[in-house]
């Protein structure tokens, strides 16, 4: 299968993942995901052309799944405050803004413009946004783009793209809504951070995330879309992620020292997983001291800004 972002046929399988490992992790959280995995195989693929990492075949969560995550995973909806602050810096007063997957429309709190429309599928979120007087509608980007070609100064999406099974189509449709010279701004979890060292990070895999984004992908994307890269901005590490950051970092060092090969997903009885748990205990002990000297550690989110050409 060709790359889902750049359509290249130079795709390498990095890891064979047993979907049963993911199913079991979710079962422990009392969330059923088995029906999303149509195949007994799940591959983590790396595109050799654009550098995107993605899971194939795609297994995509539905509304019920996201509702359960919200209920059962503490802190699932972290307010994307820093994403919003960084993105808003690139939007001028009075510019027209289209946000895709806008949730309750919290980004508008950071905007210096009222010229805003948000697209959202979650009816509860739409109701809350509309109560605040926001222009938020239940429409797909494909339908919206047909009716609103080259209309907006800014198209943006925050923590949305990594959930999308067809990112090429999604980006193409969002670009159709932009005027020439308009800005495309999006935020995704960065694969160039501590996240890439984690073990069994079920939220960073299907049916939640379908893709993983390195900074090199953002440069390569200029070859596949009519866009010019203006900037890549990494957020600072949130304090609530200190222990998790250090756990992944310590684990990475210990694993390298012991010569244990890296795998994203392993069974609970695997020595790699035991080492990851030991790293958690160590990180709890050392995190207060470590972050006294590492105040500028990089957080998990990255914001990318392009201009449409
Ligand atoms: Zn590619």
């Amino acid at each position: 299968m060709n790359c889902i972002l750049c359509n290249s046929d130079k795709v390498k399988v990095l890891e064979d993942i047993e979907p049963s490992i993911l199913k079991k992790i979710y079962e422990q959280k009392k969330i059923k995901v088995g029906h999303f995995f149509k195949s007994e195989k799940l591959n983590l693929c790396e595109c050799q052309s654009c550098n995107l990492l993605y899971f194939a075949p795609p297994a995509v969560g539905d509304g019920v799944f996201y509702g359960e995550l919200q209920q059962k995973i503490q802190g699932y909806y972290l307010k994307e405050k820093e994403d919003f602050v960084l993105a808003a810096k690139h939007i001028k007063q009075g510019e027209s803004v289209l946000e895709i997957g806008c949730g309750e429309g919290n980004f508008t709190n950071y905007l210096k413009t009222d010229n805003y429309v948000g697209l959202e599928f979650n009816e509860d979120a739409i109701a809350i946004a509309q109560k605040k007087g926001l222009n938020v509608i239940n429409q797909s980007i494909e339908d919206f783009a047909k009716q609103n070609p080259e209309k907006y100064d800014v198209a943006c999406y925050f923590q949305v793209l990594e959930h999308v099974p067809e990112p090429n189509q999604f980006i193409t449709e969002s670009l159709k809504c932009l005027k020439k010279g308009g800005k495309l701004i999006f935020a995704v979890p960065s694969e160039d951070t501590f996240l890439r060292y984690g073990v069994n990070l079920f939220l960073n895999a299907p049916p939640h995330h379908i893709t993983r984004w390195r900074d090199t992908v953002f440069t390569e994307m200029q070859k596949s879309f009519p866009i010019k890269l203006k900037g890549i901005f990494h957020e600072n590490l949130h304090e609530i992620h200190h222990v998790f950051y250090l756990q992944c970092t310590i684990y990475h060092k210990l694993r390298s020292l012991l010569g244990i090969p890296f795998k994203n997903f392993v069974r609970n009885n695997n020595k790699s997983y035991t080492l990851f748990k030991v790293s958690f205990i160590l990180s709890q002990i050392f995190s207060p001291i470590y972050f006294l000297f590492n105040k500028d550690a990089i957080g998990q989110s990255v914001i990318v800004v392009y201009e449409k050409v």
Side-chain angles (χ1 to χ4, degrees), residues 267-286:
R267 297 203 170 274
N268 281 352
N269 57 4
N270 186 293
K271 62 181 169 186
S272 189
Y273 191 67
T274 308
L275 190 62
F276 194 55
K277 286 203 331 208
V278 170
S279 304
F280 175 66
I281 297 164
L282 294 172
S283 65
Q284 282 183 310
I285 298 166
F286 291 112

Side-chain angles (χ1 to χ4, degrees), residues 225-244:
F225 302 96
I227 49 175
K228 188 167 188 279
L229 183 63
K230 303 303 274 185
I232 298 172
F233 309 93
H234 286 269
E235 67 164 8
N236 294 319
L237 186 68
H238 288 270
E239 208 178 325
I240 49 161
H241 290 141
H242 275 184
V243 169
F244 182 33

Side-chain angles (χ1 to χ4, degrees), residues 3-8 47-52 54:
C3 170
I4 57 174
L5 183 64
C6 76
N7 205 29
S8 163
C47 174
Q48 305 295 294
S49 298
C50 76
N51 245 321
L52 184 79
Y54 64 95

Side-chain angles (χ1 to χ4, degrees), residues 116-279:
Y116 171 91
V117 58
L119 305 185
E120 176 57 49
F121 289 133
N122 182 324
E123 285 292 345
D124 293 338
I126 294 172
I128 293 168
Q130 288 179 344
K131 230 180 216 172
K132 291 191 277 191
L134 299 174
N135 183 16
V136 171
I137 53 174
N138 187 339
Q139 199 172 23
S140 72
I141 180 58
E142 288 80 7
D143 290 341
F144 188 84
K146 269 179 213 141
Q147 295 159 12
N148 299 276
E150 302 200 6
K151 197 172 155 189
Y152 289 87
D153 297 308
V154 178
C156 55
Y157 20 101
F158 302 96
Q159 313 296 334
V160 169
L161 197 53
E162 68 275 18
H163 302 268
V164 172
E166 290 165 331
N168 185 304
Q169 189 189 350
F170 186 88
I171 295 167
T172 301
E173 297 298 324
S174 65
L175 285 170
K176 282 183 189 166
C177 304
L178 272 184
K179 296 173 186 169
K180 205 171 172 189
K183 277 160 280 187
L184 171 69
I185 304 174
F186 63 79
V188 288
S190 172
E191 188 65 4
D192 287 336
T193 62
F194 63 97
L195 286 179
R196 73 170 185 263
Y197 302 130
V199 178
N200 289 1
L201 304 187
F202 62 100
L203 288 178
N204 205 14
H208 194 240
H209 291 175
I210 313 297
T211 49
R212 295 183 176 188
W213 301 76
R214 299 164 172 159
D215 283 2
T216 45
V217 181
F218 306 134
T219 308
E220 291 301 316
M221 274 172 63
Q222 296 174 104
K223 296 175 187 163
S224 302
F225 302 96
I227 49 175
K228 188 167 188 279
L229 183 63
K230 303 303 274 185
I232 298 172
F233 309 93
H234 286 269
E235 67 164 8
N236 294 319
L237 186 68
H238 288 270
E239 208 178 325
I240 49 161
H241 290 141
H242 275 184
V243 169
F244 182 33
Y245 175 104
L246 198 55
Q247 178 186 11
C248 295
T249 309
I250 290 173
Y251 167 74
H252 174 62
K253 299 267 185 231
L254 292 178
R255 186 191 59 72
S256 309
L257 275 172
L258 296 170
I260 300 172
F262 179 73
K263 278 192 85 177
N264 283 279
F265 292 94
V266 296
R267 297 203 170 274
N268 281 352
N269 57 4
N270 186 293
K271 62 181 169 186
S272 189
Y273 191 67
T274 308
L275 190 62
F276 194 55
K277 286 203 331 208
V278 170
S279 304

Side-chain angles (χ1 to χ4, degrees), residues 85-107:
V85 172
L86 280 167
K89 282 182 188 163
H90 299 274
I91 301 174
K92 295 189 193 112
Q93 203 158 12
E95 284 189 321
S96 51
V97 176
L98 164 66
E99 185 184 359
I100 305 155
C102 66
E104 297 169 6
N106 290 326
F107 182 43

Side-chain angles (χ1 to χ4, degrees), residues 284-298:
Q284 282 183 310
I285 298 166
F286 291 112
S287 121
I289 293 173
Y290 181 86
F291 287 103
L292 272 182
F293 301 100
N294 292 278
K295 288 192 196 301
D296 51 0
I298 288 173

